[in-house]
Amino acid sequence: MEKSAILSALAAEVEQGRLIFPTSTHAAIKIKEKLEDPDCSLDAVIRLIQAEPLLSTKVVAIANSAVFNRSGKKITDVRSAVTLIGMRTVRNLAIVIAVQQLTGSQGRSAQADQLWQHSAYVAALAQVIARRVTRKDPETALFAGMIHEISWFYLLAREKYFPGLIDDSMASSWNADEDLEDESELDCEITIGTAILNALSVPQPVIGDIVYLWRGYLAFPPDTLGDTLLIANQLAPVKSPFVLPSNLAGADAAANLDLLTDEETLSEILKDSAAEVRSLTEALCV
């Protein structure tokens, strides 16, 4: 079966509400739901996080990143970490882990690892660009950056059931000298990704901005969360193994933005924020 036919079949599957998640993702979703319960006390939240090694490790790591921990005082326990980063970030991390767990233990580790590293870089860069260039909420930008590759995590998980869905040629399927991917294939990928984001109760404005990234239409001057994600996606030193239109459209975004930034150039901002980006990326990849 050709890739386009497989994507169409998967898109039809998710539109019928048949999202197939591994057990680990279901567990992460349940944790997220418990964290959203207004009757869940801080002590209950702490116990819940402590019972989940991946979440507790990431919560403490994020709390020790330069972005959240300005004092530099080492955080070593979950309670202190939650107090520092706040419940909103903890809930977002629960969703991030649900995405990370999509490939389960059967995922193609090399591609999944590269995809995760790319997502971490995009997230770290997006929070800097949001704070200092587009003036959007940095925490939302961080969250959106971490989950923007959600459709590909899902497709990696479903690959074993659909031979031919992902192959080595896909990484070069988007080439500036060739026609862009069939629009219907991109529409299928967006349908799949949007369905998963809705299943995880991601806010609609965030979903809209992630779709904007997938479509790859960068506006100048950039002033939306979608523009923020697009620029971060293009600047990330680790690229996705699955190239989107956004990797091609506006390839000179950094240079153009340097001309449009009144007070500081983008290159100056990124140089000034390099330690923050590195610290946050390392924390997200824990």
Side-chain angles (χ1 to χ4, degrees):
M1 186 182 294
E2 293 184 356
K3 187 185 76 168
S4 58
I6 296 172
L7 285 171
S8 294
L10 280 166
E13 182 179 270
V14 300
E15 283 187 314
Q16 295 167 10
R18 293 162 53 206
L19 282 166
I20 313 299
F21 291 153
T23 302
S24 55
T25 295
H26 280 296
I29 292 172
K30 287 182 180 179
I31 291 171
K32 179 192 80 74
E33 291 171 348
K34 290 178 181 177
L35 290 172
E36 290 173 341
D37 184 351
D39 295 327
C40 188
S41 67
L42 178 60
D43 286 341
V45 167
I46 301 303
R47 289 194 298 272
L48 182 63
I49 296 171
Q50 288 173 332
E52 298 297 330
L54 183 56
L55 181 57
S56 59
T57 299
K58 205 171 288 290
V59 164
V60 172
I62 291 294
N64 280 299
S65 69
V67 172
F68 287 93
N69 193 341
R70 300 293 182 181
S71 71
K73 183 180 178 181
K74 189 72 173 178
I75 300 295
T76 59
D77 64 283
V78 171
R79 181 178 294 274
S80 297
V82 171
T83 301
L84 179 62
I85 67 177
M87 280 302 301
R88 179 186 173 197
T89 300
V90 172
R91 286 192 291 267
N92 285 345
L93 285 174
I95 298 176
V96 165
I97 288 170
V99 174
Q100 189 176 12
Q101 298 279 33
L102 278 173
T103 54
S105 60
Q106 303 300 316
R108 289 170 59 137
S109 60
Q111 287 178 317
D113 286 348
Q114 183 179 343
L115 201 60
W116 189 249
Q117 290 175 30
H118 167 72
S119 299
Y121 269 111
V122 171
L125 287 163
Q127 66 86 25
V128 170
I129 295 166
R131 189 175 75 249
R132 300 185 59 176
V133 180
T134 56
R135 308 301 179 187
K136 298 301 170 185
D137 177 45
E139 191 165 337
T140 300
L142 175 70
F143 172 53
M146 284 306 304
I147 63 174
H148 81 279
E149 292 283 10
I150 194 167
S151 57
W152 285 110
F153 280 107
Y154 185 79
L155 291 175
L156 279 171
R158 299 293 287 145
E159 176 196 13
K160 63 180 178 179
Y161 302 104
F162 293 90
L165 173 61
I166 295 172
D167 56 45
D168 293 336
S169 67
M170 290 190 70
S172 59
S173 63
W174 290 91
N175 188 297
D177 297 325
E178 299 173 359
D179 291 335
L180 290 181
E181 181 182 17
D182 189 298
E183 188 71 20
S184 64
E185 291 187 9
L186 179 59
D187 286 340
C188 288
E189 291 162 15
I190 289 173
T191 296
I192 293 165
T194 302
I196 303 167
L197 291 170
N198 279 316
L200 295 175
S201 302
V202 173
Q204 288 301 316
V206 176
I207 294 176
D209 284 306
I210 292 174
V211 171
Y212 182 95
L213 164 65
W214 292 338
R215 293 267 179 214
Y217 304 128
L218 180 62
F220 283 96
D223 63 356
T224 67
L225 176 58
D227 294 326
T228 303
L229 294 171
L230 274 163
I231 296 168
N233 190 50
Q234 291 160 7
L235 293 175
V238 176
K239 302 301 181 185
S240 167
F242 312 110
V243 187
L244 285 168
S246 53
N247 292 95
L248 301 177
D252 295 326
N256 290 336
L257 194 60
D258 268 353
L259 300 175
L260 290 167
T261 317
D262 294 333
E263 299 177 359
E264 298 176 280
T265 65
L266 180 60
S267 56
E268 289 172 342
I269 290 171
L270 294 176
K271 183 178 179 180
D272 186 47
S273 305
E276 273 188 16
V277 170
R278 181 173 59 255
S279 172
L280 188 52
T281 302
E282 290 173 355
L284 290 168
C285 286
V286 166

